[in-house]
Amino acid sequence: MTVGTHPTAATHPGGTVLTSPPQDAPIDRATEAARKLIDALQRTDRDNANLDRVAEELNSIVAHLEQHAPEVEERLIDMWNGEGVTRHDPVTGRENAIAPPVVLEGLEDGSVQGVVTLTLPYQGPPGHVHGGVSAMLLDHVLGVANAWGGTAGMTAQLSTRYHRPTPLFVPLTISGKFISKEGRKVHTVGEIRTPDGEVCVSVEGLFIDKTIPRPR
Amino acid sequence: MTVGTHPTAATHPGGTVLTSPPQDAPIDRATEAARKLIDALQRTDRDNANLDRVAEELNSIVAHLEQHAPEVEERLIDMWNGEGVTRHDPVTGRENAIAPPVVLEGLEDGSVQGVVTLTLPYQGPPGHVHGGVSAMLLDHVLGVANAWGGTAGMTAQLSTRYHRPTPLFVPLTISGKFISKEGRKVHTVGEIRTPDGEVCVSVEGLFIDKTIPRPR
């Protein structure tokens, strides 16, 4: 689902980053550490890593962060201010530990594209990417492709086809391209390819040109 | 995408939990703390929470966990052993901090169902669930529905329709139901409803009855 008007869509083509680049900011460093934590928790030895102590330390950090958290309504206004739109989503968001994050570039042929290597937290079948994760990533990439194509909209329909299992641990190329707009209906396609160029997942999206207002 | 034969699908109907219940285990407590951390990092005050110190502490925990992590190949064998199949996925996995986690029950009418409240890390449009997240959750729920229906398979096609924006912060009901099997083709449907029973997202899935072997 797209996130309203993309703030960097108006910038000119040819390699412009359509998602928020990493900043030399403490929140980026803390979120990147949390991302590594999610992965390390999947990999560590269950019986030998003193996980009770780890849980205690993490809960202590959580308590500290919550002490400094404003009300959600207030936080929402801040999140949706300016470039914030690209910093919190679960696919490209630098400030979202769930996001791998995917970094997309807008290309001159009108498509957007990024390369991402997925690890254990994104696993579905053994050693392969969860089909739902592929759908999630593609939905978002199509939204950015719409922005790059000069439009926007909310997902109305997403048709995802799985051609072959998508491997973990290799650099996958994810791409999306705005195809056409008829009235308020926006048509967009995308795919996930292996490093050898094999298409693992392809998607067709129908978006409706409307948005949910930003909180103020 | 389903995860092979579901280990609890053979248990009898009427409220049997089809995903791994929480265990009084240190890894469950540590993962739950990491889940809270992901959320707290989205909510905390960027300028006032000493995030550099938080990043340092998290990186120190990560280094500790990685010191105790076996090789990935070895870890994969362990992950896929027994009930492990339901503990690591990004939707229901108690040992995956990305998972909300969704807890599903198998009902006597043949469906599976769970209730989940999603927060900021799962946000797409302002105050609403990311369309890709909805697709991810439903893909997995359909896989569990197949298991509950006595079959299994990999996602071949997933058609997701978005009827209205899905709100954050309210208990959503997610359900799936195995419909039919013709040869190796498995048909399954699912939806996400608000507490008022309004359908926000519906999905039709086509699965192919084949699996990727578990690592040994």
Side-chain angles (χ1 to χ4, degrees):
Chain A
M1 203 171 273
T2 63
V3 285
T5 305
H6 197 289
T8 57
T11 56
H12 82 93
T16 303
V17 172
L18 279 173
T19 50
S20 184
Q23 293 172 356
D24 185 25
I27 186 61
D28 282 38
R29 290 194 282 277
T31 307
E32 180 57 27
R35 205 169 274 135
K36 287 178 182 163
L37 173 74
I38 297 168
D39 189 75
L41 279 170
Q42 288 245 315
R43 287 190 290 110
T44 201
D45 186 332
R46 270 71 187 122
D47 300 322
N48 200 23
N50 203 353
L51 290 169
D52 269 326
R53 171 88 181 273
V54 168
E56 272 174 38
E57 290 178 359
L58 290 175
N59 279 321
S60 164
I61 294 172
V62 170
H64 163 79
L65 293 171
E66 289 186 343
Q67 273 169 10
H68 292 87
E71 293 298 313
V72 168
E73 291 72 18
E74 189 184 329
R75 179 77 192 106
L76 273 168
I77 293 169
D78 191 44
M79 287 176 93
W80 285 90
N81 189 24
E83 291 284 336
V85 63
T86 61
R87 300 214 108 239
H88 304 97
D89 71 79
V91 176
T92 71
R94 291 280 169 185
E95 298 183 30
N96 191 331
I98 287 177
V102 175
V103 179
L104 294 165
E105 289 190 320
L107 306 183
E108 292 195 42
D109 71 359
S111 68
V112 300
Q113 183 171 299
V115 176
V116 66
T117 299
L118 299 171
T119 57
L120 289 184
Y122 305 97
Q123 184 178 225
H128 292 81
V129 179
H130 193 286
V133 168
S134 296
M136 174 175 74
L137 300 184
L138 282 166
D139 173 65
H140 193 87
V141 170
L142 263 52
V144 179
N146 287 339
W148 187 240
T151 185
M154 309 251 302
T155 320
Q157 192 169 343
L158 197 72
S159 300
T160 315
R161 285 173 185 269
Y162 298 85
H163 305 274
R164 52 176 58 78
T166 308
L168 294 173
F169 310 121
V170 302
L172 301 167
T173 299
I174 307 188
S175 60
K177 191 170 184 177
F178 161 70
I179 299 297
S180 65
K181 187 170 182 179
E182 301 155 26
R184 294 174 72 196
K185 293 185 175 179
V186 177
H187 296 274
T188 319
V189 300
E191 59 188 26
I192 299 177
R193 297 190 304 274
T194 64
D196 295 336
E198 291 192 310
V199 176
C200 298
V201 187
S202 63
V203 68
E204 292 180 26
L206 168 66
F207 297 78
I208 303 296
D209 184 0
K210 61 179 178 185
T211 54
I212 293 176
R214 296 189 185 199
R216 288 170 195 278
Chain B
M1 204 170 274
T2 63
V3 284
T5 306
H6 197 288
T8 58
T11 58
H12 81 94
T16 304
V17 172
L18 278 173
T19 49
S20 183
Q23 292 174 357
D24 185 24
I27 185 62
D28 282 38
R29 289 194 283 278
T31 307
E32 180 57 25
R35 205 171 274 135
K36 287 177 181 163
L37 173 75
I38 297 168
D39 190 74
L41 279 170
Q42 289 244 314
R43 287 190 291 109
T44 202
D45 185 332
R46 272 66 189 126
D47 299 322
N48 200 23
N50 203 352
L51 290 169
D52 268 325
R53 171 88 181 273
V54 167
E56 272 175 36
E57 290 178 0
L58 290 175
N59 279 322
S60 163
I61 295 172
V62 170
H64 164 78
L65 292 172
E66 289 186 342
Q67 273 168 11
H68 293 86
E71 293 297 313
V72 168
E73 290 72 18
E74 191 184 329
R75 178 76 193 107
L76 272 169
I77 292 169
D78 191 44
M79 288 177 93
W80 285 91
N81 189 26
E83 290 285 336
V85 65
T86 61
R87 301 213 109 240
H88 303 97
D89 70 79
V91 176
T92 71
R94 291 280 169 185
E95 299 183 32
N96 191 332
I98 287 177
V102 176
V103 179
L104 293 165
E105 290 189 320
L107 305 182
E108 293 194 40
D109 70 358
S111 68
V112 300
Q113 186 171 297
V115 177
V116 67
T117 299
L118 299 171
T119 57
L120 288 184
Y122 305 98
Q123 183 179 224
H128 291 81
V129 178
H130 193 285
V133 168
S134 297
M136 176 175 73
L137 300 184
L138 283 166
D139 173 65
H140 193 87
V141 170
L142 263 52
V144 179
N146 286 339
W148 187 240
T151 185
M154 310 250 303
T155 320
Q157 192 169 344
L158 196 72
S159 299
T160 314
R161 284 173 185 270
Y162 299 85
H163 305 274
R164 53 176 57 78
T166 309
L168 293 173
F169 309 122
V170 303
L172 302 167
T173 299
I174 307 189
S175 60
K177 191 170 185 177
F178 160 71
I179 299 296
S180 66
K181 186 170 180 177
E182 302 155 26
R184 296 174 69 194
K185 292 184 177 180
V186 178
H187 297 273
T188 319
V189 299
E191 59 188 26
I192 300 178
R193 296 190 305 274
T194 65
D196 296 335
E198 290 192 309
V199 176
C200 298
V201 188
S202 63
V203 68
E204 293 180 26
L206 168 66
F207 296 79
I208 302 296
D209 184 0
K210 62 179 178 185
T211 53
I212 293 176
R214 293 189 189 201
R216 288 171 195 278

